[in-house]
């Protein structure tokens, strides 16, 4: 059985197909039709809802895509949909601002936009802020597609909603935080959902997880599920056995020591965002382009790696940073370099019974600089045509070590070994980078696909090396 | 003279102007429902018990004979209730809107990947979708034609080509100082309305069908459903409350799913929900046409065009659909804002084994305009002038005639361009951009100011008509219905404003209801930007009919003349020579009712002045032109071709705005959609004829982060010289073409790498990839 709060009331569900998405549940079971299906793939965010969880005795709300979240993932969460925002005929400031500023035309994307704005409003207010910057607004809305307005009036509404007095905000968002302390609300034990031949296990500690994995070696491990859920919604796959990591607190930890930052497998992109901004600024910047805020609240670094995609954006960066993956099972614990994790297209070195426990990333030294360039058709919320990540170690105007990897250039995320060789021990002058860029042809033979042609990939892969060289020299100067 | 005023409050009430009249920034009538999630779209309607869900099985090959269609496993798939294919269509099998050629289900041959072969209904949508996969189809593959180039080589088209001609081009080219020629490929565009195609069909008594659909053309859905079921039209009623976006994609493309669902509903006597998921929608429905455009022009040494040959070849897909009118409109707009003293414009309707392309905001006009702007840009490089100056010297002047014989009148374009040029500081910015580009090797900037002249009216003359129905109830509340559909453009709001203004009552008095074929019959599609022009006028005419009756009644009752009766501030004011009386509108209506005055009327409107002889390609197809101009500035990364629009300024002509908030919304939204078409939105097809850009994961419409950093939009405030509804101008489509300024600014940035001596090819969409390679070309040109 799972239990969650829906617009202020506790709901229990036990008899449902574990493959059911939250959006299907809201629309078909609860008849809450305000959340819309625009794509069922997490790309348009017309289905955005707010999901809260307890943290430090308060509820933290985040916008997520209900179309690619499974109902079972809501266990112990606090869900607010578009229907829960208006209270006693009083519009939420986000709603009021959208009306006042003509922020809706056809209105189909509007519930999702309003939920994204409500999340922004909630989090800004919680952080004692009385407004949002242009960047805050852009990041809050970058995943919400609108085909009618051209976004200008929505941005105006996003700014204006902070001008409305707070007492108007008496929505479920507030009442939830009052009820949060009721002890009966959440459940601490492992749980499972079964219907027909389908099972969804939610272990609550790693020991139980290991036992489950040993018992069900063919089970699918579910973290954020932002890619796996597409198998259900786009390719009609039926997952018979899923083991979800959602309730294992030990996998949500982030440990920082002198040399490494270790990130638990259930940490989402947003969980690590501020940390990355601090320790790996180029990676922090990349996260803004890695997916919408909705995706970054669900998606995990570990999931991105385990997925084995050649265009997953985390892999090349983590390879360049020389990160390692800590893998566990009932039998053993082991560590493997991210670089060695990928063995072929969508194929990774993770045996049945094993799971990713955490990822360890070495901290950068003063002499090391990280560069990350993601190139895509659209600036935000797009899959990379290619991505280059590189750590350069510079000493006395000389490049003393290079660690460089690309995504989108081969069937796996891969190091540019010949480029590295060429750059190693070279003087920090533009000529070094120009020479090195020519080596791309010996390192990669990319393909043409919907995102770009092979020629473009090759050309840009070379150009990025020069671009990095210029940026590096400017930084040093 | 004495005034009969009961209380002080009444007097105050009489002085308060009615709310929400024309010219006010009235909010969208559904705004509050949009933001609370209460606004119901077809998929949100409460479902009747017993509703079944439909999915469509389609061709996997672009061109093939069907040897066998074995659906037995589909039938026995879990949850399946019924399966239909070509042989189960009771009536007409072809649902082509103007020309035949669109079979509801393919019979012996398929002509595109995604063409419907059969449909299934099941207890759930997922069951229906899973059942589809159980079909066994045996094909005999045939050699497909997949591109315009292949079609041109094989002389393969859906309809014959058409020519518009003016003057002697051959002679003009002989007289010319320079002759230039070029071609450009303009890719199509997916509508990407947020709400995919959907219909809900409920069977009724006497074989009747009630169809709830998301369609811009309820009357056509009605007619086609009736034909497919072999019923007379009056057995089928269609209701459209609202669409989650249309953009032309629901003009003809909404009908097939409604027709299929109606066949099931008729067979099974139960309601059917037919909704396409996003991938099916992107695979099975038509898009904006690709065009391969070519010009050869003679110009004088100043850069003035003397004559031009233009060839426009459209990728129509497998069937005519609306392509004839679309290519005609492309031809009509191949001049954009410029005078061609001599012109020969040829429009080719290429047939390809791909989905049949269809209406999309601008209806071919945008693709036609691109060749004019490309030509102007090339001229500017040739004669070494600022492209804006070349644009200006080539603008039409009043009295000039187009290549289809329409005389240009009331042409404010130069005024619009020069006002914008001043307001956005074009000259100074142009200079500073040149300086910047000289000083920066890795970042380049570009700027362009481009005009739009867009002809308003359906070119199919009979479509330029509309009807409306108005009832006033005894409490003074007013119900309005008209033939237009609401897809977000604010039509219902504008029509409500018309009615409120006619009776001078608060807009809250007015309730506009869903478009329904049993209220207003034989409607035209809500398309061609005509929605408020046509339906606003029809509603106004209905108001005038009722007002005439009310005034006549007042004259008789109070012995006054018509000019002594006035509708003002929610009142009817009678100004007798000896007394004044102001009735509250409701009181007056009640009085009229008691005196047996009819309070219901239909209104009708047809556009005057227009005519067109297609045989001769001469006439006045357009009632008037909507004008506008945009100036965009971009910054480009030389290493990757990635770019950002840093600033856009727009001055657009909506005549006398009926609702400035809605009009500006249309302009901003249209511009961004046009920019998306020309920049990041790339339709991609593989060699087997499959759409690869089949989801938002690989088809990229603009996000909030793509809008210009500085974005100024202003209305050119001049009432329409033609007698349109309150002297406004249509605004739906024209702003889309303002997006051309971004494409031209990108080409300008690329040309900077050739010191502006030459502009490289920049096919659209100008993705970072196309921009990068254009910059390489420019660099090579300079090096050569």
């Amino acid at each position: 059985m799972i239990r969650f709060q829906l617009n202020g009331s506790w709901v229990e569900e036990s008899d449902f197909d574990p493959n059911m998405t939250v959006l299907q549940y809201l629309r078909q079971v609860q008849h809450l039709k305000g959340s819309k299906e625009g794509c069922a793939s997490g790309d348009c965010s017309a289905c955005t809802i707010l999901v809260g969880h307890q943290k430090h005795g308060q509820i933290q709300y985040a916008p997520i895509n209900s179309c690619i979240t499974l109902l079972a993932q809501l266990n112990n969460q606090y869900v607010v949909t578009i229907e829960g925002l208006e209270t006693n005929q009083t519009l939420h400031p986000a709603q009021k601002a959208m009306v006042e500023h003509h922020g809706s035309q056809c209105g189909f994307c509007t519930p999702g936009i309003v939920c994204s704005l409500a999340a922004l409003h909630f989090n800004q207010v919680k952080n004692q802020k009385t407004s949002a910057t242009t960047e805050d607004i852009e990041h809050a809305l970058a995943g919400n597609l609108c085909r009618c307005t051209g976004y200008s009036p929505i941005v105006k509404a996003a700014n204006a909603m902070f001008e409305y007095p707070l007492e108007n905000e008496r929505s479920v968002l507030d009442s939830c935080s009052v009820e949060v302390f009721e002890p009966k609300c959440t459940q601490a034990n492992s749980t499972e959902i079964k219907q027909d031949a389908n099972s969804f296990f939610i272990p609550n500690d790693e020991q139980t997880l290991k036992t489950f994995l040993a018992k069900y070696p063919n089970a699918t491990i579910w973290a954020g599920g932002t890619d796996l859920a597409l198998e259900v919604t786009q390719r009609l796959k039926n997952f018979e056995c899923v083991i979800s990591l959602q309730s294992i607190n030990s996998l949500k930890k982030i440990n920082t020591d002198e040399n490494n930052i270790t990130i638990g497998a259930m940490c989402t992109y947003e969980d690590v965002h501020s940390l990355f901004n601090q320790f790996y600024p180029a990676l922090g910047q990349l996260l803004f382009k890695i997916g919408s805020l909705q995706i970054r609240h669900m998606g995990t670094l570990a999931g991105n790696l385990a997925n084995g995609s050649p265009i997953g954006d985390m892999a090349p960066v983590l390879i360049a940073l020389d990160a390692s993956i800590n893998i566990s099972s009932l039998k053993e614990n082991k560590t493997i370099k991210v670089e060695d994790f990928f063995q072929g297209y969508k194929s990774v070195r993770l045996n049945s019974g094993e799971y990713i426990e955490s990822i360890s990333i070495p901290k950068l030294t003063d002499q090391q600089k990280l560069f990350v360039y993601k190139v895509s058709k659209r600036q935000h919320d797009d899959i990379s045509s290619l991505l280059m990540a590189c750590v350069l170690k510079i000493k006395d105007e000389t490049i003393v070590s290079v660690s460089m990897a690309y995504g989108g250039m081969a069937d796996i995320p891969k190091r540019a070994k010949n480029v590295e060789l060429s750059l190693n021990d070279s003087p920090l002058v533009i000529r070094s980078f120009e020479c090195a860029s020519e080596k791309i042809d010996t390192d990669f033979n990319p393909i043409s696909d919907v995102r770009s042609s092979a020629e473009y990939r090759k050309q840009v892969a070379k150009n990025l090396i020069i671009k990095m060289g210029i940026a590096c020299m400017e930084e040093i100067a | 003279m004495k005034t009969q005023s009961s209380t002080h409050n009444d007097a105050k009430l009489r002085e308060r102007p009615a709310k929400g009249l024309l010219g006010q920034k009235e909010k969208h009538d559904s705004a509050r429902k949009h933001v609370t999630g209460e606004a119901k779209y077809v998929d949100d309607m409460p479902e009747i018990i017993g509703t079944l869900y439909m999915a469509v099985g389609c061709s996997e090959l672009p061109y093939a004979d069907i040897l066998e269609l074995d659906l037995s496993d589909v039938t026995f798939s879990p949850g399946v209730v019924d399966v239909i294919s070509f042989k189960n269509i009771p009536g007409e099998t072809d649902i082509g809107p103007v020309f035949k050629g669109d079979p509801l289900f393919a019979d012996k041959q398929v002509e595109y990947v995604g063409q419907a072969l059969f449909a299934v209904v099941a207890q759930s949508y997922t069951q229906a979708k899973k059942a589809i996969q159980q079909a066994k189809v045996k094909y005999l593959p045939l050699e497909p034609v997949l591109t315009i180039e292949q079609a041109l080589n094989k002389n393969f088209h859906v309809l014959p080509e058409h020519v518009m001609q003016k003057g002697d081009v051959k002679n003009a080219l002989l007289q010319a100082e320079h002759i230039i020629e070029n071609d450009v490929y303009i890719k199509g565009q997916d509508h990407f309305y947020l709400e995919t195609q959907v219909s809900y069909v409920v069977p009724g008594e006497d074989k009747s069908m009630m169809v709830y659909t998301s369609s811009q053309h309820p009357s056509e859905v009605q007619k086609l459903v009736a034909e497919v079921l072999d019923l007379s039209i009056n057995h089928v009623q269609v209701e459209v409350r609202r669409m989650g976006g249309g953009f032309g994609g629901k003009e003809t493309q909404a009908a097939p799913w409604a027709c299929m669902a109606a066949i099931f509903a008729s067979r099974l006597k139960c309601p059917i929900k037919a909704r396409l998921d996003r991938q099916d929608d992107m695979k099975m429905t038509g898009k904006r046409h690709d065009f391969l455009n070519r010009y050869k022009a003679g110009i004088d040494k100043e850069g003035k065009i003397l004559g031009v040959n233009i060839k426009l070849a459209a990728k129509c897909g497998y069937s005519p659909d609306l392509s004839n009118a679309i290519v005609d409109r492309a031809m009509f707009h191949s001049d954009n804002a410029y005078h061609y003293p001599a012109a020969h414009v040829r429009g080719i309707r290429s047939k390809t084994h791909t989905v049949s392309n269809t209406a999309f905001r601008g209806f071919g006009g945008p693709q036609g305009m691109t060749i004019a702007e490309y030509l102007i840009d090339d001229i500017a490089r040739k004669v070494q002038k600022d492209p804006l100056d070349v644009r200006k010297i080539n603008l039409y002047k009043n009295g000039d005639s187009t290549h289809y014989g329409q005389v240009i009148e009331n042409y404010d374009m130069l005024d619009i361009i020069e006002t914008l040029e001043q307001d956005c500081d074009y000259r100074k910015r142009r200079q500073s951009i040149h300086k910047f580009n000289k000083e920066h090797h890795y970042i380049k900037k570009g700027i362009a100011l481009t005009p739009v002249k867009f002809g308003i009216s359906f070119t199919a003359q009979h479509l330029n008509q509309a009807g409306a129905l108005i009832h006033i109830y005894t409490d003074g509340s007013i119900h309005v219905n008209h033939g237009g559909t609401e897809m977000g453009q604010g039509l219902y709001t504008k029509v409500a404003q018309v009615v409120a203004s006619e009776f001078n009552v608060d807009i809250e008095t007015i309730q506009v209801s869903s478009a329904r074929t049993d209220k207003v019959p034989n409607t035209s599609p809500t398309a061609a930007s005509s929605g408020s022009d046509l339906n606003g006028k029809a509603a106004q005419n209905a108001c005038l009919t009722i007002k005439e009756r009310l005034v006549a009644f007042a004259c008789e009752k109070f012995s006054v003349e018509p000019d002594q009766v006035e509708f003002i501030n929610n009142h009817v004011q009678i100004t007798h020579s000896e007394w004044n009386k102001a009735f509250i509108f409701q009181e007056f209506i009640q009085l009229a009712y008691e005196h047996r005055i009819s309070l219901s009327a239909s209104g009708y409107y047809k556009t005057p002045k227009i005519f067109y002889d297609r045989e001769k390609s001469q006439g006045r197809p357009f009632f008037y032109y909507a004008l506008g101009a945009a100036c965009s500035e971009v910054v480009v990364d030389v290493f990757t071709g990635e770019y950002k629009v840093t600033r856009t300024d727009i001055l657009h002509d909506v005549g006398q705005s009926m609702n400035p908030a809605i009009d500006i919304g249309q302009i901003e939204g249209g511009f961004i959609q046009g920019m998306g078409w020309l920049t990041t939105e790339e339709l991609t097809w593989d060699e087997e004829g499959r759409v690869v850009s089949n989801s938002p994961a690989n088809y990229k419409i603009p996000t909030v982060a793509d809008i210009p950093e500085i974005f100024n939009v202003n209305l050119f405030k001049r009432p329409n010289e033609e007698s349109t509804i309150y002297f406004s101008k249509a605004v739906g489509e024209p702003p889309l073409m303002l997006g051309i300024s971004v494409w031209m600014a990108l080409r300008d940035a690329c040309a900077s790498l050739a010191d502006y001596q030459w502009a490289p090819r920049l096919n659209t969409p100008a993705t970072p990839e196309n921009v990068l390679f254009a910059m390489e070309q420019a660099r090579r040109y300079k090096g050569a």
Side-chain angles (χ1 to χ4, degrees), chain B residues 528-547:
Chain B
S529 309
S530 69
S532 51
D533 274 19
L534 296 178
N535 296 292
K537 271 283 186 189
Q540 185 185 40
N541 287 339
C543 294
L544 292 175
T545 302
I546 298 178
K547 270 168 79 175

Side-chain angles (χ1 to χ4, degrees), chain A residues 27 36-38 86 89 95 104-107 147-148 151 234 377-378 381-382 453 456 463 467 470, chain B residues 32 34-35 41 43-44 190-191 275 278-279 442 488 637 639-640 665 669 681-682 700-702 769:
Chain A
R27 292 181 60 85
K36 309 296 183 206
E37 180 185 313
E86 189 189 16
Q89 307 277 309
Q95 294 174 312
S104 68
Q105 284 183 24
C106 87
R147 193 52 154 167
C148 297
Y151 304 100
Q234 304 296 302
K377 248 178 229 172
R378 189 172 69 190
D381 198 9
D382 196 356
S453 68
Y456 179 72
N463 289 356
K467 181 174 178 166
I470 292 159
Chain B
R32 196 186 162 102
H34 290 155
V35 301
Y41 301 80
D43 196 35
D44 304 336
D190 191 280
H191 300 86
R275 187 179 74 87
R278 179 60 65 183
Q279 285 207 19
Y442 308 125
D637 180 334
F639 293 110
T640 62
E681 294 182 33
E682 187 169 31
K700 295 296 173 181
I701 72 165
E769 172 162 348

Side-chain angles (χ1 to χ4, degrees), chain B residues 4-33:
Chain B
Q4 298 177 350
S5 166
S6 46
T7 67
H8 176 67
N9 273 350
D10 281 358
K12 251 177 116 176
L13 199 64
R14 279 207 308 278
E15 281 157 28
R16 178 180 70 73
K19 290 181 281 185
L21 304 191
L22 284 155
Q24 299 293 307
K25 293 181 180 175
E26 184 62 24
K27 303 194 172 42
H28 193 285
D29 73 308
S30 294
R32 196 186 162 102
K33 290 177 280 184

Side-chain angles (χ1 to χ4, degrees), chain A residues 122-170:
Chain A
F122 179 87
N123 287 311
Q124 295 294 103
V125 170
K126 191 187 72 192
N127 294 325
Q128 320 288 325
K129 289 184 186 157
T130 53
S131 64
T133 64
T134 308
E135 277 171 357
D136 291 335
I137 292 167
E138 214 171 272
H139 295 150
L141 291 173
N144 287 89
L145 298 182
C146 167
R147 193 52 154 167
C148 297
T149 64
Y151 304 100
S152 294
I154 299 171
V155 172
K156 286 191 186 107
N159 281 303
M161 68 178 174
F162 294 100
E163 291 161 16
Y164 301 124
L166 238 189
E167 48 266 30
N168 281 352
E169 190 182 20
R170 284 188 215 280

